[in-house]
Amino acid sequence: MKRDELMSKIADLEREIAVLPEGSITKKKINNKEYYYHRITRNKKRVENYISYEEASELQSQIAKRKELQKELKGLKQKAEPEEKTVRKAKKKLSFHTMVRYGKQLEAQIALTRHYKQRECIRELRDYVLGEQQDKVFILYGLRRTGKTTMIRQILGELPEHLFDKAAFIQVTSKDTLADVDADLNTLEENGFAYIFIDEVTLMEDFVEGAALFADIYASSGMKIVLSGTDSLGFAFSKEEQLYDRCIMLHTTFIPYREFENVLGIKGIDEYIRYGGTMSLGGVNYNENAPFATSRGAEEYIDTAIAKNIQHSLKMYQYGGHFRQLLDLYEKGELTNVINRVVEDMNHRFTRSVVECTFRSHDISVTAANLLRDREKPTNIKEHLDIDEVTAGIRKMLDILNKEEQCIDIEECHMIQIKEYLKLLDLIMEIDLEFLPPVNRKNSITVITQPGMRYAQANAIVENMLLDVKFQELSVKERQRILERLLSEIRGRMMEDIVLLETKIAKTDKKVFKLQFAIGEFDMVVFDPVALNCEIYEVKYSKERVPAQYRHLTDEEKCRETIHRYGDIEGRYVIYRGEDAEMDGVRYLNVEEYLKGLG
């Protein structure tokens, strides 16, 4: 292994170890009952915290993984030591409380990212690091695997030599304190370092309460401080309190299609639907290591990157005072389970709505009738498969507890508060649903910004649904045809959501929404409140062009109502998977090219 690869591997292992729990699990028997404790050492003192049986099992596996990685790390460091002695500068060795890299070590750590393509948002980080001095810190935050650490390494790689010599990278672990980091920053400042990048800073228990230190002491004295981490809520709380008006925020969670294609080199809306949402893909077999390649991977991502992220933030903020209505769930050890259920439930509701709509449609009824025409079976899918039974069967297969099965009820206030936090994480966004002719009626559509997560769970639900006894009466080929049709419908609905979401984010000066009529709808309307005009769209998961696709766009009554409410119609469009074209005054736009053009 080359030295650059070796040092990069060491840095990656240290980073992975930093977020895993240390210590050990102990079991005590009190009054014939078994109790579990997480034992750790803090400031040379042993501390034991009570944990539930479920938490004990998970913690045990994480601690075991940490020890395994530490063993691997030790071996790699032994390989690196002989070379390190020959390449180390004559500069005196500095002593630190935390894990600090600079000079040759840092150079080796960032070497492998030099050939990586860059995310678009890196320009904001570049402007801060290479721009004029200001007494603010830069916060780079987002869910796991969205490119935060890679961006830091890329910026470090862009620094000219005279600035790189003044740069340092601090890897925070859960055992570090703000006092430790403060001491190391003071040492770095005394030795002329001016560009400091601190990764996973929210792992410190006292970060939120003492975050002002970075801006008030160090940024104000001329240092450029970049803080990064996966604890998005922790940063959001800090911005509102300790770092108010003294920070620049850059959120990395949302990855649009154009970056999926341009940065990762993976083309096609279908690939984005299946795996979009993280920057962890690459190479020929990129999808095998993607967190959303399987439903289990998606569930693990939801649990670790989202549910535990929220709980950690709430626990650390003002001694847990921000739990609000979620406090009872936290105290009974149910909070992360409930957050998981809320996220999964949104994906499951979406899937159920698509499946039920598909089964009620004429097309799949005819398809099923054709499949069954040679059998002595009913010739209508709605007779052969009872919709209510199918829906009930789907619900039984969901890995979500119903209210009557829960030891703690999920109240409406819980749902509302959890969704507030999911919005702060940029995991969900609401798209307006408007109605004509009743203009006072409003609703919204909840869109998941990581499509791969939704598709993985939807795919699992549909596959499990086909294990139902009624479906098993069909042949394997028949079941496969129904499966493909259902997944095609799901991808089509998701493509609509992606177009709506990315258009809304890109066109901040316009109002983007879905418009529902008494019969039919416009999949998307882009309204210009200044020019008082609009564009109307249909989104079709098809490569073919047929007049039925734009029948609503040319419907005189619908267009008359739209013009009255939103002004002149400047364009009629169908976004689909085929080539750009025009039919009867309606422009057909290729979905990939449309999404790339939104940048």
Side-chain angles (χ1 to χ4, degrees), residues 15 19 125 137-143 146-153 169-173 196-204 207 214 225-232 235 243 248 250 252:
R15 211 171 164 275
V19 298
L125 178 58
V137 299
F138 191 96
I139 293 178
L140 182 65
Y141 68 114
L143 295 181
T146 55
K148 300 180 298 299
T149 303
T150 297
M151 273 196 278
I152 287 176
R153 293 177 181 178
F169 180 91
I170 301 177
Q171 178 65 64
V172 173
T173 69
I196 313 299
F197 299 81
I198 310 176
D199 196 19
E200 295 298 351
V201 68
T202 51
L203 288 178
M204 295 185 294
F207 165 72
F214 299 106
I225 305 287
V226 176
L227 309 176
S228 70
T230 57
D231 195 344
S232 301
F235 283 125
L243 290 173
I248 300 169
L250 176 58
T252 63

mmCIF file of all heavy atoms in Angstrom, residues 15 19 125 137-143 146-153 169-173 196-204 207 214 225-232 235 243 248 250 252:
data_model
loop_
_atom_site.group_PDB
_atom_site.id
_atom_site.type_symbol
_atom_site.label_atom_id
_atom_site.label_comp_id
_atom_site.label_asym_id
_atom_site.label_seq_id
_atom_site.Cartn_x
_atom_site.Cartn_y
_atom_site.Cartn_z
ATOM 1 N N ARG A 15 -11.531 8.170 12.040
ATOM 2 C CA ARG A 15 -12.817 8.855 11.967
ATOM 3 C C ARG A 15 -13.960 7.906 12.318
ATOM 4 O O ARG A 15 -14.892 8.251 13.030
ATOM 5 C CB ARG A 15 -13.001 9.396 10.553
ATOM 6 C CG ARG A 15 -13.821 10.651 10.514
ATOM 7 C CD ARG A 15 -13.824 11.309 9.163
ATOM 8 N NE ARG A 15 -14.911 12.253 9.170
ATOM 9 C CZ ARG A 15 -16.161 11.918 8.893
ATOM 10 N NH1 ARG A 15 -16.446 10.700 8.549
ATOM 11 N NH2 ARG A 15 -17.123 12.824 8.952
ATOM 12 N N VAL A 19 -16.667 7.841 16.161
ATOM 13 C CA VAL A 19 -18.115 7.910 16.353
ATOM 14 C C VAL A 19 -18.684 6.648 16.993
ATOM 15 O O VAL A 19 -19.885 6.569 17.257
ATOM 16 C CB VAL A 19 -18.837 8.184 15.008
ATOM 17 C CG1 VAL A 19 -18.413 9.511 14.444
ATOM 18 C CG2 VAL A 19 -18.568 7.072 14.001
ATOM 19 N N LEU A 125 -17.583 27.064 0.930
ATOM 20 C CA LEU A 125 -16.492 26.773 1.863
ATOM 21 C C LEU A 125 -15.205 27.436 1.384
ATOM 22 O O LEU A 125 -14.446 28.007 2.179
ATOM 23 C CB LEU A 125 -16.310 25.258 1.977
ATOM 24 C CG LEU A 125 -15.169 24.754 2.872
ATOM 25 C CD1 LEU A 125 -15.333 25.270 4.298
ATOM 26 C CD2 LEU A 125 -15.125 23.221 2.860
ATOM 27 N N VAL A 137 -17.398 31.661 12.353
ATOM 28 C CA VAL A 137 -16.960 30.299 12.079
ATOM 29 C C VAL A 137 -17.813 29.761 10.922
ATOM 30 O O VAL A 137 -18.919 30.242 10.671
ATOM 31 C CB VAL A 137 -17.095 29.385 13.308
ATOM 32 C CG1 VAL A 137 -16.242 29.899 14.442
ATOM 33 C CG2 VAL A 137 -18.550 29.254 13.745
ATOM 34 N N PHE A 138 -17.297 28.766 10.241
ATOM 35 C CA PHE A 138 -18.027 28.136 9.138
ATOM 36 C C PHE A 138 -18.483 26.757 9.609
ATOM 37 O O PHE A 138 -17.672 25.958 10.091
ATOM 38 C CB PHE A 138 -17.124 27.996 7.912
ATOM 39 C CG PHE A 138 -17.864 27.613 6.659
ATOM 40 C CD1 PHE A 138 -18.272 28.587 5.758
ATOM 41 C CD2 PHE A 138 -18.163 26.292 6.376
ATOM 42 C CE1 PHE A 138 -18.958 28.239 4.601
ATOM 43 C CE2 PHE A 138 -18.849 25.929 5.229
ATOM 44 C CZ PHE A 138 -19.247 26.912 4.333
ATOM 45 N N ILE A 139 -19.780 26.495 9.492
ATOM 46 C CA ILE A 139 -20.335 25.213 9.940
ATOM 47 C C ILE A 139 -20.747 24.390 8.726
ATOM 48 O O ILE A 139 -21.601 24.787 7.940
ATOM 49 C CB ILE A 139 -21.533 25.428 10.874
ATOM 50 C CG1 ILE A 139 -21.063 26.082 12.184
ATOM 51 C CG2 ILE A 139 -22.230 24.115 11.166
ATOM 52 C CD1 ILE A 139 -22.172 26.386 13.157
ATOM 53 N N LEU A 140 -20.118 23.242 8.587
ATOM 54 C CA LEU A 140 -20.391 22.311 7.492
ATOM 55 C C LEU A 140 -21.087 21.100 8.106
ATOM 56 O O LEU A 140 -20.474 20.330 8.839
ATOM 57 C CB LEU A 140 -19.064 21.909 6.837
ATOM 58 C CG LEU A 140 -19.097 20.980 5.631
ATOM 59 C CD1 LEU A 140 -19.794 21.656 4.460
ATOM 60 C CD2 LEU A 140 -17.684 20.580 5.246
ATOM 61 N N TYR A 141 -22.379 20.951 7.837
ATOM 62 C CA TYR A 141 -23.128 19.902 8.532
ATOM 63 C C TYR A 141 -24.091 19.194 7.596
ATOM 64 O O TYR A 141 -24.462 19.705 6.539
ATOM 65 C CB TYR A 141 -23.880 20.476 9.725
ATOM 66 C CG TYR A 141 -25.026 21.419 9.393
ATOM 67 C CD1 TYR A 141 -26.333 21.070 9.693
ATOM 68 C CD2 TYR A 141 -24.811 22.649 8.784
ATOM 69 C CE1 TYR A 141 -27.389 21.919 9.411
ATOM 70 C CE2 TYR A 141 -25.852 23.507 8.497
ATOM 71 C CZ TYR A 141 -27.142 23.137 8.801
ATOM 72 O OH TYR A 141 -28.193 23.975 8.501
ATOM 73 N N GLY A 142 -24.478 18.002 7.981
ATOM 74 C CA GLY A 142 -25.390 17.207 7.154
ATOM 75 C C GLY A 142 -25.375 15.768 7.620
ATOM 76 O O GLY A 142 -24.560 15.362 8.454
ATOM 77 N N LEU A 143 -26.290 14.959 7.075
ATOM 78 C CA LEU A 143 -26.363 13.557 7.448
ATOM 79 C C LEU A 143 -25.131 12.809 6.951
ATOM 80 O O LEU A 143 -24.365 13.309 6.130
ATOM 81 C CB LEU A 143 -27.636 12.923 6.876
ATOM 82 C CG LEU A 143 -28.962 13.461 7.425
ATOM 83 C CD1 LEU A 143 -30.134 12.731 6.797
ATOM 84 C CD2 LEU A 143 -29.029 13.348 8.945
ATOM 85 N N THR A 146 -22.631 12.429 3.097
ATOM 86 C CA THR A 146 -23.047 13.469 2.149
ATOM 87 C C THR A 146 -21.884 14.371 1.743
ATOM 88 O O THR A 146 -22.104 15.439 1.190
ATOM 89 C CB THR A 146 -24.199 14.305 2.732
ATOM 90 O OG1 THR A 146 -23.827 14.835 4.014
ATOM 91 C CG2 THR A 146 -25.460 13.463 2.880
ATOM 92 N N GLY A 147 -20.645 13.944 2.021
ATOM 93 C CA GLY A 147 -19.477 14.614 1.467
ATOM 94 C C GLY A 147 -18.792 15.656 2.314
ATOM 95 O O GLY A 147 -17.932 16.387 1.814
ATOM 96 N N LYS A 148 -19.105 15.715 3.611
ATOM 97 C CA LYS A 148 -18.535 16.777 4.459
ATOM 98 C C LYS A 148 -17.019 16.654 4.595
ATOM 99 O O LYS A 148 -16.278 17.604 4.316
ATOM 100 C CB LYS A 148 -19.188 16.727 5.849
ATOM 101 C CG LYS A 148 -20.687 16.934 5.848
ATOM 102 C CD LYS A 148 -21.254 16.859 7.249
ATOM 103 C CE LYS A 148 -21.051 15.509 7.908
ATOM 104 N NZ LYS A 148 -21.712 14.397 7.188
ATOM 105 N N THR A 149 -16.552 15.496 5.022
ATOM 106 C CA THR A 149 -15.117 15.317 5.245
ATOM 107 C C THR A 149 -14.346 15.392 3.935
ATOM 108 O O THR A 149 -13.240 15.950 3.886
ATOM 109 C CB THR A 149 -14.852 13.963 5.933
ATOM 110 O OG1 THR A 149 -15.590 13.909 7.153
ATOM 111 C CG2 THR A 149 -13.378 13.798 6.249
ATOM 112 N N THR A 150 -14.915 14.864 2.878
ATOM 113 C CA THR A 150 -14.246 14.946 1.567
ATOM 114 C C THR A 150 -14.067 16.394 1.144
ATOM 115 O O THR A 150 -13.003 16.777 0.628
ATOM 116 C CB THR A 150 -15.057 14.182 0.512
ATOM 117 O OG1 THR A 150 -15.098 12.791 0.862
ATOM 118 C CG2 THR A 150 -14.423 14.327 -0.874
ATOM 119 N N MET A 151 -15.075 17.233 1.360
ATOM 120 C CA MET A 151 -14.953 18.648 1.005
ATOM 121 C C MET A 151 -13.843 19.332 1.787
ATOM 122 O O MET A 151 -13.094 20.148 1.239
ATOM 123 C CB MET A 151 -16.288 19.372 1.225
ATOM 124 C CG MET A 151 -17.217 19.295 0.036
ATOM 125 S SD MET A 151 -18.546 20.513 0.118
ATOM 126 C CE MET A 151 -19.673 19.688 1.195
ATOM 127 N N ILE A 152 -13.738 19.004 3.071
ATOM 128 C CA ILE A 152 -12.668 19.588 3.882
ATOM 129 C C ILE A 152 -11.311 19.200 3.319
ATOM 130 O O ILE A 152 -10.410 20.029 3.165
ATOM 131 C CB ILE A 152 -12.801 19.130 5.352
ATOM 132 C CG1 ILE A 152 -13.977 19.847 6.020
ATOM 133 C CG2 ILE A 152 -11.521 19.405 6.130
ATOM 134 C CD1 ILE A 152 -14.250 19.409 7.443
ATOM 135 N N ARG A 153 -11.157 17.928 2.991
ATOM 136 C CA ARG A 153 -9.883 17.462 2.438
ATOM 137 C C ARG A 153 -9.590 18.122 1.093
ATOM 138 O O ARG A 153 -8.437 18.449 0.783
ATOM 139 C CB ARG A 153 -9.910 15.938 2.295
ATOM 140 C CG ARG A 153 -9.950 15.201 3.633
ATOM 141 C CD ARG A 153 -10.058 13.699 3.444
ATOM 142 N NE ARG A 153 -10.123 13.000 4.722
ATOM 143 C CZ ARG A 153 -10.265 11.680 4.844
ATOM 144 N NH1 ARG A 153 -10.361 10.927 3.759
ATOM 145 N NH2 ARG A 153 -10.309 11.122 6.044
ATOM 146 N N PHE A 169 -5.946 19.822 11.179
ATOM 147 C CA PHE A 169 -7.218 19.081 11.175
ATOM 148 C C PHE A 169 -7.360 18.385 12.525
ATOM 149 O O PHE A 169 -6.479 17.628 12.935
ATOM 150 C CB PHE A 169 -7.208 18.052 10.044
ATOM 151 C CG PHE A 169 -8.466 17.232 9.935
ATOM 152 C CD1 PHE A 169 -9.511 17.647 9.140
ATOM 153 C CD2 PHE A 169 -8.597 16.032 10.624
ATOM 154 C CE1 PHE A 169 -10.674 16.886 9.024
ATOM 155 C CE2 PHE A 169 -9.742 15.270 10.525
ATOM 156 C CZ PHE A 169 -10.777 15.704 9.722
ATOM 157 N N ILE A 170 -8.459 18.662 13.214
ATOM 158 C CA ILE A 170 -8.719 18.054 14.526
ATOM 159 C C ILE A 170 -9.868 17.058 14.394
ATOM 160 O O ILE A 170 -10.964 17.419 13.950
ATOM 161 C CB ILE A 170 -9.080 19.120 15.580
ATOM 162 C CG1 ILE A 170 -7.948 20.144 15.726
ATOM 163 C CG2 ILE A 170 -9.394 18.467 16.920
ATOM 164 C CD1 ILE A 170 -8.265 21.278 16.691
ATOM 165 N N GLN A 171 -9.611 15.809 14.771
ATOM 166 C CA GLN A 171 -10.651 14.775 14.772
ATOM 167 C C GLN A 171 -11.163 14.602 16.193
ATOM 168 O O GLN A 171 -10.460 14.110 17.078
ATOM 169 C CB GLN A 171 -10.093 13.454 14.261
ATOM 170 C CG GLN A 171 -11.094 12.313 14.271
ATOM 171 C CD GLN A 171 -12.242 12.556 13.320
ATOM 172 O OE1 GLN A 171 -12.052 12.630 12.115
ATOM 173 N NE2 GLN A 171 -13.440 12.708 13.857
ATOM 174 N N VAL A 172 -12.383 15.043 16.443
ATOM 175 C CA VAL A 172 -12.975 14.961 17.779
ATOM 176 C C VAL A 172 -13.569 13.571 18.007
ATOM 177 O O VAL A 172 -14.131 12.966 17.087
ATOM 178 C CB VAL A 172 -14.063 16.040 17.953
ATOM 179 C CG1 VAL A 172 -14.798 15.869 19.272
ATOM 180 C CG2 VAL A 172 -13.446 17.431 17.863
ATOM 181 N N THR A 173 -13.442 13.073 19.220
ATOM 182 C CA THR A 173 -14.081 11.820 19.615
ATOM 183 C C THR A 173 -15.035 12.099 20.781
ATOM 184 O O THR A 173 -15.024 13.191 21.360
ATOM 185 C CB THR A 173 -13.040 10.771 20.061
ATOM 186 O OG1 THR A 173 -12.458 11.191 21.295
ATOM 187 C CG2 THR A 173 -11.946 10.610 19.028
ATOM 188 N N ILE A 196 -8.064 26.111 10.756
ATOM 189 C CA ILE A 196 -8.354 24.953 11.597
ATOM 190 C C ILE A 196 -9.666 24.305 11.170
ATOM 191 O O ILE A 196 -10.704 24.972 11.091
ATOM 192 C CB ILE A 196 -8.444 25.355 13.088
ATOM 193 C CG1 ILE A 196 -7.266 26.254 13.477
ATOM 194 C CG2 ILE A 196 -8.514 24.111 13.953
ATOM 195 C CD1 ILE A 196 -5.899 25.629 13.313
ATOM 196 N N PHE A 197 -9.613 23.007 10.932
ATOM 197 C CA PHE A 197 -10.792 22.234 10.536
ATOM 198 C C PHE A 197 -11.064 21.206 11.636
ATOM 199 O O PHE A 197 -10.209 20.371 11.933
ATOM 200 C CB PHE A 197 -10.539 21.530 9.205
ATOM 201 C CG PHE A 197 -10.250 22.480 8.075
ATOM 202 C CD1 PHE A 197 -8.979 23.026 7.914
ATOM 203 C CD2 PHE A 197 -11.246 22.838 7.173
ATOM 204 C CE1 PHE A 197 -8.701 23.909 6.874
ATOM 205 C CE2 PHE A 197 -10.973 23.730 6.138
ATOM 206 C CZ PHE A 197 -9.705 24.261 5.992
ATOM 207 N N ILE A 198 -12.239 21.292 12.238
ATOM 208 C CA ILE A 198 -12.580 20.421 13.370
ATOM 209 C C ILE A 198 -13.742 19.520 12.963
ATOM 210 O O ILE A 198 -14.854 19.992 12.724
ATOM 211 C CB ILE A 198 -12.953 21.240 14.618
ATOM 212 C CG1 ILE A 198 -11.877 22.301 14.904
ATOM 213 C CG2 ILE A 198 -13.129 20.325 15.815
ATOM 214 C CD1 ILE A 198 -12.193 23.220 16.062
ATOM 215 N N ASP A 199 -13.482 18.216 12.880
ATOM 216 C CA ASP A 199 -14.479 17.263 12.393
ATOM 217 C C ASP A 199 -15.188 16.569 13.548
ATOM 218 O O ASP A 199 -14.577 16.274 14.586
ATOM 219 C CB ASP A 199 -13.792 16.225 11.502
ATOM 220 C CG ASP A 199 -14.786 15.452 10.654
ATOM 221 O OD1 ASP A 199 -15.926 15.938 10.477
ATOM 222 O OD2 ASP A 199 -14.435 14.362 10.158
ATOM 223 N N GLU A 200 -16.489 16.278 13.357
ATOM 224 C CA GLU A 200 -17.353 15.621 14.350
ATOM 225 C C GLU A 200 -17.348 16.358 15.680
ATOM 226 O O GLU A 200 -17.350 15.755 16.767
ATOM 227 C CB GLU A 200 -16.938 14.154 14.538
ATOM 228 C CG GLU A 200 -17.121 13.293 13.313
ATOM 229 C CD GLU A 200 -18.567 13.175 12.850
ATOM 230 O OE1 GLU A 200 -19.470 13.632 13.568
ATOM 231 O OE2 GLU A 200 -18.790 12.627 11.752
ATOM 232 N N VAL A 201 -17.386 17.693 15.605
ATOM 233 C CA VAL A 201 -17.290 18.518 16.812
ATOM 234 C C VAL A 201 -18.479 18.323 17.745
ATOM 235 O O VAL A 201 -18.364 18.499 18.964
ATOM 236 C CB VAL A 201 -17.132 20.005 16.409
ATOM 237 C CG1 VAL A 201 -18.404 20.529 15.764
ATOM 238 C CG2 VAL A 201 -16.749 20.868 17.586
ATOM 239 N N THR A 202 -19.632 17.908 17.207
ATOM 240 C CA THR A 202 -20.816 17.751 18.054
ATOM 241 C C THR A 202 -20.772 16.489 18.905
ATOM 242 O O THR A 202 -21.683 16.259 19.707
ATOM 243 C CB THR A 202 -22.103 17.740 17.197
ATOM 244 O OG1 THR A 202 -21.950 16.778 16.146
ATOM 245 C CG2 THR A 202 -22.380 19.101 16.602
ATOM 246 N N LEU A 203 -19.733 15.663 18.752
ATOM 247 C CA LEU A 203 -19.591 14.508 19.636
ATOM 248 C C LEU A 203 -19.258 14.931 21.065
ATOM 249 O O LEU A 203 -19.472 14.180 22.010
ATOM 250 C CB LEU A 203 -18.494 13.573 19.111
ATOM 251 C CG LEU A 203 -18.823 12.760 17.854
ATOM 252 C CD1 LEU A 203 -17.626 11.930 17.429
ATOM 253 C CD2 LEU A 203 -20.038 11.868 18.068
ATOM 254 N N MET A 204 -18.722 16.145 21.224
ATOM 255 C CA MET A 204 -18.425 16.645 22.570
ATOM 256 C C MET A 204 -19.732 16.949 23.301
ATOM 257 O O MET A 204 -20.605 17.618 22.762
ATOM 258 C CB MET A 204 -17.569 17.914 22.498
ATOM 259 C CG MET A 204 -16.187 17.708 21.929
ATOM 260 S SD MET A 204 -15.184 19.209 22.018
ATOM 261 C CE MET A 204 -16.072 20.295 20.904
ATOM 262 N N PHE A 207 -20.509 20.737 23.630
ATOM 263 C CA PHE A 207 -20.338 21.594 22.450
ATOM 264 C C PHE A 207 -21.406 22.679 22.349
ATOM 265 O O PHE A 207 -21.116 23.859 22.196
ATOM 266 C CB PHE A 207 -20.326 20.763 21.165
ATOM 267 C CG PHE A 207 -20.525 21.606 19.927
ATOM 268 C CD1 PHE A 207 -19.519 22.452 19.476
ATOM 269 C CD2 PHE A 207 -21.735 21.596 19.229
ATOM 270 C CE1 PHE A 207 -19.705 23.256 18.360
ATOM 271 C CE2 PHE A 207 -21.932 22.392 18.114
ATOM 272 C CZ PHE A 207 -20.912 23.226 17.689
ATOM 273 N N PHE A 214 -15.551 29.275 19.845
ATOM 274 C CA PHE A 214 -14.878 29.235 18.541
ATOM 275 C C PHE A 214 -14.942 30.581 17.833
ATOM 276 O O PHE A 214 -13.976 31.001 17.193
ATOM 277 C CB PHE A 214 -15.506 28.147 17.668
ATOM 278 C CG PHE A 214 -15.377 26.773 18.248
ATOM 279 C CD1 PHE A 214 -16.469 26.139 18.818
ATOM 280 C CD2 PHE A 214 -14.160 26.110 18.248
ATOM 281 C CE1 PHE A 214 -16.358 24.872 19.365
ATOM 282 C CE2 PHE A 214 -14.031 24.837 18.786
ATOM 283 C CZ PHE A 214 -15.130 24.224 19.349
ATOM 284 N N ILE A 225 -11.988 29.100 11.262
ATOM 285 C CA ILE A 225 -12.431 27.886 11.956
ATOM 286 C C ILE A 225 -13.569 27.244 11.178
ATOM 287 O O ILE A 225 -14.617 27.859 10.957
ATOM 288 C CB ILE A 225 -12.922 28.200 13.385
ATOM 289 C CG1 ILE A 225 -11.857 28.946 14.181
ATOM 290 C CG2 ILE A 225 -13.355 26.922 14.094
ATOM 291 C CD1 ILE A 225 -10.683 28.118 14.606
ATOM 292 N N VAL A 226 -13.376 25.995 10.748
ATOM 293 C CA VAL A 226 -14.424 25.235 10.063
ATOM 294 C C VAL A 226 -14.840 24.076 10.961
ATOM 295 O O VAL A 226 -14.013 23.237 11.336
ATOM 296 C CB VAL A 226 -13.935 24.694 8.703
ATOM 297 C CG1 VAL A 226 -15.017 23.827 8.051
ATOM 298 C CG2 VAL A 226 -13.546 25.841 7.780
ATOM 299 N N LEU A 227 -16.107 24.050 11.332
ATOM 300 C CA LEU A 227 -16.654 22.990 12.175
ATOM 301 C C LEU A 227 -17.509 22.071 11.306
ATOM 302 O O LEU A 227 -18.301 22.548 10.484
ATOM 303 C CB LEU A 227 -17.523 23.572 13.290
ATOM 304 C CG LEU A 227 -16.905 24.692 14.143
ATOM 305 C CD1 LEU A 227 -17.941 25.209 15.140
ATOM 306 C CD2 LEU A 227 -15.666 24.203 14.863
ATOM 307 N N SER A 228 -17.369 20.781 11.474
ATOM 308 C CA SER A 228 -18.203 19.862 10.696
ATOM 309 C C SER A 228 -18.691 18.729 11.576
ATOM 310 O O SER A 228 -18.111 18.439 12.635
ATOM 311 C CB SER A 228 -17.429 19.298 9.496
ATOM 312 O OG SER A 228 -16.426 18.400 9.922
ATOM 313 N N GLY A 229 -19.773 18.082 11.138
ATOM 314 C CA GLY A 229 -20.321 16.961 11.896
ATOM 315 C C GLY A 229 -21.661 16.525 11.345
ATOM 316 O O GLY A 229 -22.261 17.207 10.503
ATOM 317 N N THR A 230 -22.125 15.380 11.831
ATOM 318 C CA THR A 230 -23.399 14.829 11.361
ATOM 319 C C THR A 230 -24.580 15.262 12.213
ATOM 320 O O THR A 230 -25.730 15.028 11.855
ATOM 321 C CB THR A 230 -23.346 13.283 11.366
ATOM 322 O OG1 THR A 230 -23.016 12.847 12.692
ATOM 323 C CG2 THR A 230 -22.296 12.773 10.406
ATOM 324 N N ASP A 231 -24.301 15.886 13.359
ATOM 325 C CA ASP A 231 -25.354 16.268 14.299
ATOM 326 C C ASP A 231 -25.971 17.607 13.878
ATOM 327 O O ASP A 231 -25.672 18.657 14.439
ATOM 328 C CB ASP A 231 -24.772 16.360 15.706
ATOM 329 C CG ASP A 231 -25.855 16.402 16.773
ATOM 330 O OD1 ASP A 231 -27.009 16.672 16.407
ATOM 331 O OD2 ASP A 231 -25.552 16.164 17.942
ATOM 332 N N SER A 232 -26.823 17.551 12.874
ATOM 333 C CA SER A 232 -27.373 18.766 12.285
ATOM 334 C C SER A 232 -28.173 19.595 13.284
ATOM 335 O O SER A 232 -28.097 20.826 13.286
ATOM 336 C CB SER A 232 -28.261 18.415 11.083
ATOM 337 O OG SER A 232 -27.517 17.725 10.105
ATOM 338 N N PHE A 235 -26.022 21.728 15.588
ATOM 339 C CA PHE A 235 -25.571 22.959 14.943
ATOM 340 C C PHE A 235 -26.712 23.975 14.851
ATOM 341 O O PHE A 235 -26.509 25.179 15.032
ATOM 342 C CB PHE A 235 -25.029 22.661 13.547
ATOM 343 C CG PHE A 235 -23.654 22.061 13.548
ATOM 344 C CD1 PHE A 235 -23.402 20.863 12.901
ATOM 345 C CD2 PHE A 235 -22.603 22.700 14.186
ATOM 346 C CE1 PHE A 235 -22.127 20.309 12.892
ATOM 347 C CE2 PHE A 235 -21.325 22.154 14.182
ATOM 348 C CZ PHE A 235 -21.084 20.959 13.539
ATOM 349 N N LEU A 243 -24.037 30.675 18.827
ATOM 350 C CA LEU A 243 -23.367 31.195 17.630
ATOM 351 C C LEU A 243 -24.265 32.129 16.824
ATOM 352 O O LEU A 243 -24.055 32.313 15.629
ATOM 353 C CB LEU A 243 -22.899 30.030 16.744
ATOM 354 C CG LEU A 243 -21.741 29.204 17.308
ATOM 355 C CD1 LEU A 243 -21.469 27.992 16.434
ATOM 356 C CD2 LEU A 243 -20.487 30.055 17.431
ATOM 357 N N ILE A 248 -21.507 30.892 9.576
ATOM 358 C CA ILE A 248 -21.988 30.675 8.210
ATOM 359 C C ILE A 248 -22.326 29.193 8.114
ATOM 360 O O ILE A 248 -21.490 28.338 8.408
ATOM 361 C CB ILE A 248 -20.916 31.051 7.176
ATOM 362 C CG1 ILE A 248 -20.529 32.523 7.322
ATOM 363 C CG2 ILE A 248 -21.403 30.763 5.762
ATOM 364 C CD1 ILE A 248 -19.301 32.917 6.530
ATOM 365 N N LEU A 250 -23.580 25.724 6.110
ATOM 366 C CA LEU A 250 -23.679 25.020 4.828
ATOM 367 C C LEU A 250 -24.159 23.598 5.091
ATOM 368 O O LEU A 250 -23.466 22.803 5.728
ATOM 369 C CB LEU A 250 -22.323 24.995 4.112
ATOM 370 C CG LEU A 250 -22.278 24.188 2.798
ATOM 371 C CD1 LEU A 250 -23.304 24.718 1.800
ATOM 372 C CD2 LEU A 250 -20.879 24.220 2.205
ATOM 373 N N THR A 252 -25.233 19.894 3.814
ATOM 374 C CA THR A 252 -24.864 19.018 2.698
ATOM 375 C C THR A 252 -25.864 17.894 2.432
ATOM 376 O O THR A 252 -25.665 17.116 1.502
ATOM 377 C CB THR A 252 -23.495 18.367 2.980
ATOM 378 O OG1 THR A 252 -23.597 17.536 4.150
ATOM 379 C CG2 THR A 252 -22.416 19.414 3.199
#
